Amino acid sequence: MRPRARVLLLAGVFALLQLANVTGRDTPDSKNYLSYALNLTGADKREAAAATIDYYCAGRAVIAHRGQNVNVVRFHAPDPAPEVLRECREREWRQVEARLAAGETGGHTVPFMPERFMRIFETRPGYPVFLAPFVGVFGVTWGVWAAGVAVTCLGGMLAFLVLRALALPVPLALTGQALFMVLPCGTTAMRPMTEGLLLALTLAALWGCALLLEGRGRREGLALVCGALLALFTVKHSQALFLGLCLAVAGAVVAVRRRWRGLPAGRGAVALAAAGCAGVLGTVLLARLLHYPSVSESVQDLLTDHFARPDRERPWAEFFQLQGNFWTEWLRRRLWEPLFVAFLAAGVLGARRRPAFGAFLVAAACTGFLNQAGHPDINIWGDRLIVLAWLLPVLGVPLLLEPVVLRAVVPAQGAPVEPVR
């Protein structure tokens, strides 16, 4: 079977597995992105609100039904789904109707939350633009599901392309694709949220890094990195800032390390450092030019439970105190269940086999930690904010397995053939 066919086969198997959970993947923020996408397809505020509320509440009802089916005490009780659906619709419509009546009709999103909070989602058109064609063609339920499958399969294919650009054998590149799908990357990318696109675009940037560093296409590689940073700005501009900053640092470290060893700094590393610096500068300038919410506004959003409470007088002092509390508890939980730590360690060991590219891989993974540090909330729908850190084992583990595969293949190829009697 050709490599292309194997990649498509893996993607097809993944898509079939996702039919087990067509609904129930959404989070409260999914309502904002979905209503934005519906508005882009031509729906007015009330039409977008109706379709979004029906989708969101149907997901809540499905989860309630599944939960009761396996409840050892209440599994034989009446199905709670109809009541959950009714209460959810009433609650959501009550909030939306009140805000629409108060004149909160601007922008693309339905006012599910205070206007100050919704402003954050108005600055993230990338995912709604991606979602809109799927919703327009397949409807809300199947459109959201198809968009999740598409972006997750795209991420897996990009992982394959990154590893092939590093000259890894096809089986190891397929391993990277499979790891992307079965690790939390795949689970998180299937949610109707921005994380799927963030993962795919970060992998596109890493593909550009691999092409540039391996000399397989310098112009193409640089174009991929710059295009990924620009696209990230439309999806979540803080991620473009983090990735640009981390790429700049990685490029500087690689160049300085090479010069310290008496070698040329290398065009690839310098070009990537320059692209990262341009990404940081461009993100800051564009965000100010477009009057995007500031960092202070984001901190107030965190500390006031999405502006449901008065602004904090000393937000930064409280924020840094929360940082210490958060990371202490986060580390305690990771040591209790050290799977994530083990995968990160394996990824680091694999990244060391390609020192130049490994620096950029670690840098991309660090954006997950920066993203989590910006939202030190231990209960914010699992580990979706730090999910970009999982790219380290997705690409690092196949690199770690490379010598094992080569030792298995080369002797077999060179083994003497027993003569036929």
Side-chain angles (χ1 to χ4, degrees):
M1 189 181 297
R2 293 182 178 180
R4 186 180 303 174
R6 295 181 184 182
V7 170
L8 294 176
L9 178 61
L10 268 179
V13 170
F14 176 82
L16 288 175
L17 294 176
Q18 301 317 299
L19 289 171
N21 294 278
V22 177
T23 58
R25 299 176 185 267
D26 50 283
T27 73
D29 286 350
S30 299
K31 296 181 295 184
N32 307 319
Y33 295 115
L34 178 56
S35 65
Y36 196 137
L38 288 168
N39 182 263
L40 294 177
T41 64
D44 61 25
K45 280 288 188 289
R46 291 193 175 275
E47 291 171 342
T52 302
I53 289 172
D54 285 347
Y55 172 79
Y56 175 75
C57 292
R60 302 302 96 195
V62 166
I63 291 173
H65 172 75
R66 294 172 182 170
Q68 179 160 304
N69 275 348
V70 292
N71 189 304
V72 295
V73 177
R74 299 183 54 81
F75 67 91
H76 47 64
D79 187 0
E83 182 65 17
V84 170
L85 182 62
R86 183 187 63 80
E87 291 180 355
C88 177
R89 283 175 172 170
E90 289 181 357
R91 180 177 62 254
E92 296 296 331
W93 270 115
R94 185 165 56 250
Q95 295 174 354
V96 170
E97 291 282 8
R99 292 192 173 95
L100 289 176
E104 297 181 21
T105 57
H108 295 281
T109 56
V110 171
F112 291 104
M113 295 286 284
E115 189 173 9
R116 192 176 169 190
F117 176 69
M118 299 306 297
R119 173 64 180 155
I120 296 173
F121 295 91
E122 293 289 339
T123 64
R124 300 175 182 177
Y127 179 68
V129 168
F130 171 78
L131 182 60
F134 292 94
V135 173
V137 173
F138 300 109
V140 172
T141 300
W142 286 102
V144 171
W145 178 86
V149 169
V151 76
T152 308
C153 291
L154 174 62
M157 293 176 183
L158 285 168
F160 175 88
L161 291 172
V162 172
L163 293 170
R164 288 297 290 158
L166 296 172
L168 260 68
V170 170
L172 288 177
L174 290 170
T175 300
Q177 180 188 3
L179 284 173
F180 181 87
M181 294 175 176
V182 302
L183 290 177
C185 298
T187 304
T188 306
M190 279 298 299
R191 289 190 181 277
M193 298 284 288
T194 59
E195 279 74 25
L197 274 181
L198 297 182
L199 286 162
L201 291 171
T202 304
L203 280 168
L206 287 173
W207 185 21
C209 292
L211 292 173
L212 193 57
L213 294 170
E214 296 291 322
R216 296 174 177 269
R218 292 182 176 178
R219 291 183 179 179
E220 296 84 351
L222 192 59
L224 271 171
V225 173
C226 294
L229 288 171
L230 182 60
L232 279 171
F233 181 86
T234 69
V235 179
K236 192 175 181 181
H237 69 279
S238 60
Q239 182 61 27
L241 178 67
F242 293 154
L243 183 59
L245 177 63
C246 290
L247 290 181
V249 171
V253 168
V254 171
V256 169
R257 184 170 179 267
R258 289 177 61 87
R259 290 301 299 268
W260 184 66
R261 292 187 171 188
L263 301 172
R267 288 184 179 181
V270 173
L272 289 172
C277 291
V280 171
L281 183 61
T283 298
V284 172
L285 292 178
L286 272 177
R288 290 189 176 181
L289 183 65
L290 297 172
H291 303 290
Y292 279 8
S294 64
V295 178
S296 298
E297 188 76 351
S298 179
V299 173
Q300 288 287 3
D301 166 54
L302 173 74
L303 298 176
T304 60
D305 192 19
H306 306 313
F307 306 110
R309 301 177 181 182
D311 281 9
R312 312 302 295 179
E313 294 182 359
R314 300 172 61 248
W316 287 107
E318 294 184 17
F319 178 75
F320 288 120
Q321 181 181 355
L322 182 60
Q323 286 285 344
N325 297 343
F326 172 84
W327 289 110
T328 300
E329 175 63 15
W330 182 88
L331 183 60
R332 186 190 67 80
R333 296 188 183 191
R334 296 291 79 79
L335 295 178
W336 183 14
E337 298 176 302
L339 181 65
F340 181 46
V341 177
F343 266 107
L344 285 181
V348 170
L349 290 175
R352 293 180 61 185
R353 291 190 50 77
R354 298 287 197 285
F357 175 78
F360 291 96
L361 174 56
V362 171
C366 284
T367 63
F369 287 93
L370 290 175
N371 194 25
Q372 181 70 78
H375 305 79
D377 185 349
I378 205 73
N379 298 313
I380 192 165
W381 291 90
D383 294 329
R384 68 177 181 85
L385 291 175
I386 206 172
V387 70
L388 285 151
W390 281 98
L391 293 180
L392 182 55
V394 164
L395 300 178
V397 168
L399 287 169
L400 183 63
L401 295 175
E402 183 183 19
V404 178
V405 172
L406 292 179
R407 281 198 298 268
V409 172
V410 173
Q413 291 177 344
V417 179
E418 183 179 354
V420 179
R421 296 179 181 178

